[in-house]
Amino acid sequence: MSTTTTVTQTESITADNVLRLFPDIDTSLAQSRDNDLAGYDEEQIRLMDEVCIVLDENDVPIGSASKKVCHLMKNIDQGLLHRAFSVFLFDSENRLLLQQRASEKITFPDMWTNTCCSHPLGIPGETGVELGAAVAGVRRAAQRKLDHELGIKAAQVPIDKFDFLTRIHYKAPSDGKWGEHEIDYILFIKANVDLDININEVQASKYVSAEELKTMFKDDALKFTPWFKLICESMLFEWWGHLDEGLEKYKGETQIRRM
């Protein structure tokens, strides 16, 4: 006795119908051009596939997109905005740990900046809609990236030791193709740490006092990331001066600072 099987013909998936059939699919990767990254370091190209949190101007998550999509100036100029963080790590002598970004970096290579600057990813544990959840997410992301870039282990930078101060909204080009448009969470932490630098991320590091940093700014041969300069020119030295006493009044600011 033979058995007859009926096969139902399904609609073939194409670029034209994928969103109609599967509304949850993120098509940004397919829409991006491969040649945007031609000639860059392979590891840095790989990191450009990481998924950033896309925001409205009030820091409310409204979607996600690859790091590459978020950092192309053609998208930034149309208003694409994502979430970021900047860590300022101080040792027991209140010296700030700086890093010089590696030459391999696609955005802002060779520039001096604060201890660690990166992005919470669109993954469980690093996203958040309400401010408290968002802060928790960037703290976890900060701990992850301190290890990735500088080899600082989580035990030396416990999540609950990161102090959230404020958020800054800024936009800055890196070159004609790449740039930043971020709502950047400012995190302070005081800890003595061991470094095991990832040379694909960081080419140099140094601890500086406030006065030593001001001297560095006077050296025309040194280049600094735009977000670091904005933070230094606005509030960093005031915050730094209250690191051991009075920092409490600067913590947990709810208003976004527009730069």
Side-chain angles (χ1 to χ4, degrees):
M1 182 176 180
S2 62
T3 302
T4 302
T5 302
T6 302
V7 178
T8 304
Q9 186 68 36
T10 59
E11 184 176 358
S12 297
I13 301 172
T14 68
D16 294 327
N17 67 15
V18 64
L19 282 178
R20 174 170 57 80
L21 295 172
F22 304 100
D24 294 332
I25 293 292
D26 181 352
T27 60
S28 61
L29 183 62
Q31 294 165 357
S32 61
R33 297 186 330 193
D34 291 337
N35 62 359
D36 283 326
L37 292 168
Y40 289 102
D41 176 79
E42 287 299 319
E43 174 63 9
Q44 292 298 320
I45 291 174
R46 185 189 68 78
L47 292 172
M48 278 295 195
D49 284 336
E50 292 183 334
V51 177
C52 292
I53 303 165
V54 175
L55 307 169
D56 69 11
E57 290 203 350
N58 294 312
D59 192 30
V60 176
I62 56 174
S64 63
S66 71
K67 184 178 173 184
K68 171 190 167 183
V69 168
C70 288
H71 289 82
L72 283 167
M73 279 305 301
K74 64 184 180 182
N75 298 329
I76 290 171
D77 286 339
Q78 295 181 67
L80 190 62
L81 174 67
H82 63 277
R83 185 174 287 167
F85 65 83
S86 288
V87 174
F88 293 76
L89 185 148
F90 301 87
D91 67 6
S92 57
E93 299 177 35
N94 287 352
R95 297 179 303 168
L96 173 62
L97 177 59
L98 303 182
Q99 66 156 277
Q100 185 182 17
R101 292 164 67 87
S103 298
E104 290 84 355
K105 298 289 283 185
I106 292 172
T107 58
F108 307 98
D110 303 313
M111 293 189 182
W112 284 94
T113 194
N114 50 287
T115 313
C116 180
C117 333
S118 192
H119 315 89
L121 302 180
I123 59 175
E126 293 191 12
T127 57
V129 177
E130 300 300 326
L131 183 58
V135 169
V138 298
R139 283 173 169 153
R140 293 187 187 100
Q143 190 183 64
R144 170 177 57 81
K145 288 299 290 185
L146 283 168
D147 188 4
H148 174 235
E149 294 186 3
L150 295 162
I152 300 172
K153 300 308 177 186
Q156 294 187 319
V157 283
I159 285 175
D160 61 358
K161 296 300 183 183
F162 288 95
D163 288 321
F164 164 66
L165 273 64
T166 189
R167 295 168 287 175
I168 65 168
H169 178 186
Y170 78 96
K171 175 180 173 181
S174 175
D175 55 24
K177 180 182 291 186
W178 306 101
E180 292 285 9
H181 187 206
E182 301 178 328
I183 291 182
D184 189 13
Y185 284 60
I186 310 303
L187 301 175
F188 271 28
I189 186 167
K190 190 168 179 179
N192 291 327
V193 298
D194 298 310
L195 302 181
D196 183 13
I197 289 174
N198 178 352
I199 60 172
N200 190 256
E201 292 285 331
V202 177
Q203 63 177 287
S205 66
K206 66 185 300 183
Y207 284 95
V208 295
S209 67
E211 291 307 311
E212 287 169 336
L213 179 55
K214 290 175 183 177
T215 299
M216 287 179 69
F217 280 132
K218 296 175 183 178
D219 186 345
D220 292 336
L222 301 178
K223 303 299 180 184
F224 298 88
T225 60
W227 62 86
F228 184 47
K229 289 180 70 175
L230 283 171
I231 295 165
C232 289
E233 290 167 357
S234 55
M235 291 295 292
L236 176 63
F237 294 107
E238 183 174 341
W239 293 331
W240 199 340
H242 291 85
L243 197 57
D244 290 327
E245 186 176 353
L247 189 63
E248 210 53 47
K249 65 182 178 182
Y250 300 107
K251 296 180 186 178
E253 187 172 82
T254 57
Q255 183 175 351
I256 300 170
R257 294 173 179 252
R258 312 289 181 178
M259 301 293 187

